[in-house]
Amino acid sequence: MSSLKLTQFGGIAPRQRPNNLHQAMVQVAEDVDLSRGTLRPWRTDKKVSNKTGNSIFVDKCCYLASDNCKASFSRIDTDCCYLIASGVKDYPVIQKKSQACNDNWKRLGFPIELNAPNAQFLGELSQDFNQELRQYIYTLVDEFGFESAPSLPSEPIYAHNDQSVVISGLPTAFPTYSIGKVRIYCAVTQLDYGDPKSEYDAHFLLVDELDFGTANYIHQSFFAFLI
């Protein structure tokens, strides 16, 4: 809000047009202090929040508080405007600014160690051009869309690209973390009758994105089934 202070106030002239007013005169003067011959605003305290605590963070109209005097808050100025805090809980937390004032914090980051998934080829191997060497990994995606580092890779398996592979051992619970999805990836090396093709490197492919809590998954070249 803009403000104006007149050090020489000449009074109010409500009938004058604005462009005809003397520089020391105004048309409307409301809620102002005129006691000293100048035009000044009344400066009084105004309650803006009920939040109390030993640590206070103010971001425009958002007021955050913590009883921990060592708590700290910071802001990430993106389109969603995230707030990150430490000292609020036993671990760093994050939330969109629009929800942080409701004390709706989520744990920041992801689990450090992600175990390797298990991969099992369901068909019978034969020496043909459809045989591949595969390894599977997965990542976690939180409720904000951030993606974790990859898990350890599964043991290498030989498979045919037109038959099914069962992936098991996917994580189903991480207390305190706000995991929403699991993304499965596959590293594929093409083979020529069982031998790697020297002119090809492994291709790193996104297989699917699953709801968190899905323990097993069947991967096919053209079809996928949850079990």
Side-chain angles (χ1 to χ4, degrees):
M1 179 181 295
S2 61
S3 62
L4 174 67
K5 179 181 179 181
L6 297 179
T7 56
Q8 292 182 350
F9 180 53
I12 300 175
R15 296 186 179 183
Q16 290 285 346
R17 295 178 59 85
N19 55 343
N20 293 331
L21 282 175
H22 187 273
Q23 62 180 2
M25 304 185 71
V26 297
Q27 281 188 305
V28 178
E30 185 177 273
D31 297 330
V32 293
D33 181 8
L34 305 176
S35 62
R36 300 182 182 180
T38 62
L39 181 66
R40 298 181 302 174
W42 290 105
R43 300 193 181 278
T44 58
D45 295 333
K46 181 180 179 182
K47 188 175 182 178
V48 294
S49 175
N50 292 321
K51 296 292 181 70
T52 61
N54 295 319
S55 179
I56 300 291
F57 175 78
V58 180
D59 180 15
K60 296 181 180 179
C61 294
C62 182
Y63 301 86
L64 307 176
S66 173
D67 290 332
N68 183 357
C69 60
K70 295 184 178 180
S72 63
F73 302 85
S74 60
R75 180 180 63 195
I76 301 177
D77 286 321
T78 62
D79 292 340
C80 297
C81 193
Y82 296 101
L83 294 175
I84 295 177
S86 63
V88 177
K89 296 185 180 293
D90 295 334
Y91 41 77
V93 291
I94 184 174
Q95 189 50 279
K96 291 182 179 179
K97 177 185 170 182
S98 59
Q99 300 183 34
C101 286
N102 299 325
D103 199 30
N104 187 16
W105 294 99
K106 305 297 183 181
R107 185 164 183 169
L108 177 65
F110 296 94
I112 296 176
E113 296 182 358
L114 299 179
N115 296 326
N118 300 314
Q120 180 183 3
F121 176 55
L122 297 181
E124 295 183 2
L125 290 174
S126 60
Q127 297 294 328
D128 58 34
F129 289 105
N130 291 330
Q131 191 176 149
E132 300 174 337
L133 181 64
R134 298 184 187 178
Q135 282 185 287
Y136 289 87
I137 67 168
Y138 63 88
T139 62
L140 305 177
V141 182
D142 67 13
E143 295 180 2
F144 305 109
F146 297 117
E147 187 173 12
S148 73
S151 69
L152 295 172
S154 67
E155 293 293 329
I157 62 169
Y158 291 95
H160 291 293
N161 58 22
D162 57 352
Q163 299 184 41
S164 301
V165 172
V166 174
I167 304 169
S168 60
L170 298 174
T172 57
F174 282 114
T176 71
Y177 289 96
S178 58
I179 309 302
K181 300 288 184 179
V182 176
R183 288 178 184 158
I184 300 177
Y185 296 88
C186 181
V188 180
T189 301
Q190 295 179 330
L191 304 177
D192 188 352
Y193 286 98
D195 296 322
K197 294 182 178 180
S198 58
E199 68 271 21
Y200 284 99
D201 295 325
H203 299 283
F204 194 68
L205 307 175
L206 172 63
V207 175
D208 206 346
E209 182 176 276
L210 316 176
D211 290 332
F212 183 64
T214 305
N216 305 304
Y217 179 82
I218 295 180
H219 175 214
Q220 288 185 328
S221 297
F222 301 103
F223 303 97
F225 303 92
L226 304 182
I227 60 174

